[in-house]
Amino acid sequence: MIKISLFVYDFDGTLVDTFEDIANSVNRTLIEMNLQSLGRETIRQNIGSGVVNLMSRSLSGSGCNNIEAAVSLFQKHYSHHLLDQTKLYPNGREIVEHFSNKNNTILSNKPVVFIKKILETMSFLSPFDSILGGDSLDEQKPNPKGLQFLMKKYNCPAEKVLMVGDNAIDVETGKRAGVMTCGVTYGLGNPNLLRDSKPNFLIDNLSDLKLLFN
């Protein structure tokens, strides 16, 4: 058992299954822009690097490059539909509460207002000591600035920090900050890329964290 003082969780695909609502909002945006909607797998591959990258990738090959309009429309649609089908992954609530004596935080590339709205509606906001979204600082993952900010805020050395995420970006972020990393295989990220990123640990269910850390 490894002693951890600071847990840093990714959001989409790690704690919360937001895929259907994101995908539907992407396609609502494309249809409103008179563009072809995208298949689920294409959208899944576009998720993970923030809204601007999501919509940039979603416009790729469409002949339209009005990313600013696409981002604005996506945020409009998503703000109205972000809780239609979104749900916590199994054991998400339980594992955060299990480690309630630690600092539990979120580091995501998703706009922070969406994260807080989802968690608040799910009555799952209070267990988190800090929430950083893609617009909280001037850099996003895989830049380690957000992770370093949290480490400094809680005065926590790298060897007592764990970055948990479903995407190779999360593992790269953790490695660049010099902390331990744990990949989750059930999320939105490409499982092959996740394995290739060589996290320190790879788990199939968040409850497995109890077996590895204290």
Side-chain angles (χ1 to χ4, degrees):
M1 297 280 274
I2 299 168
K3 187 171 180 60
I4 295 294
S5 299
L6 173 61
F7 286 85
V8 184
Y9 297 95
D10 173 51
F11 189 72
D12 300 290
T14 300
L15 287 172
V16 185
D17 184 357
T18 53
F19 177 67
E20 289 299 326
D21 292 335
I22 291 174
N24 289 336
S25 296
V26 167
N27 279 334
R28 286 187 181 98
T29 298
L30 295 174
I31 290 166
E32 186 168 344
M33 296 177 74
N34 297 310
L35 299 172
Q36 187 72 38
S37 60
L38 296 174
R40 286 295 195 259
E41 199 49 48
T42 300
I43 296 174
R44 184 184 295 275
Q45 292 169 14
N46 292 344
I47 294 173
S49 301
V51 175
V52 174
N53 284 314
L54 169 64
M55 295 316 300
S56 299
R57 294 165 181 168
S58 298
L59 291 181
S60 178
S62 70
C64 173
N65 61 359
N66 193 345
I67 296 165
E68 190 174 336
V71 168
S72 178
L73 286 171
F74 171 83
Q75 291 181 323
K76 178 191 77 170
H77 287 298
Y78 190 58
S79 66
H80 290 116
H81 294 281
L82 81 177
L83 287 153
D84 289 357
Q85 299 182 64
T86 286
K87 57 188 180 295
L88 287 166
Y89 281 110
N91 302 307
R93 190 184 301 270
E94 291 80 4
I95 202 69
V96 174
E97 289 173 354
H98 174 79
F99 290 113
S100 61
N101 61 327
K102 314 290 187 178
N103 289 122
N104 288 285
T105 65
I106 290 171
L107 177 61
S108 171
N109 284 341
K110 189 188 201 78
V112 71
V113 64
F114 293 148
I115 300 172
K116 289 184 175 179
K117 185 176 179 181
I118 290 169
L119 291 176
E120 196 168 14
T121 305
M122 292 177 165
S123 301
F124 194 40
L125 186 61
S126 59
F128 295 99
D129 300 293
S130 288
I131 298 172
L132 294 184
D135 50 355
S136 296
L137 301 173
D138 58 357
E139 296 284 356
Q140 296 186 349
K141 297 181 293 184
N143 187 293
K145 189 171 185 176
L147 191 43
Q148 290 164 340
F149 174 89
L150 293 169
M151 291 163 67
K152 185 175 181 180
K153 180 175 181 177
Y154 296 105
N155 192 28
C156 191
E159 64 270 15
K160 292 191 176 179
V161 181
L162 183 70
M163 178 78 218
V164 184
D166 67 307
N167 201 299
I169 288 172
D170 301 307
V171 178
E172 183 183 345
T173 305
K175 287 185 174 183
R176 289 174 68 177
V179 309
M180 279 180 287
T181 56
C182 181
V184 298
T185 60
Y186 54 77
L188 305 181
N190 182 312
N192 293 323
L193 292 178
L194 180 64
R195 286 186 177 87
D196 290 345
S197 69
K198 295 185 167 49
N200 298 103
F201 304 92
L202 199 59
I203 60 175
D204 299 322
N205 191 302
L206 278 171
S207 63
D208 295 341
L209 291 176
K210 291 191 290 189
L211 308 175
L212 298 168
F213 307 102
N214 63 16

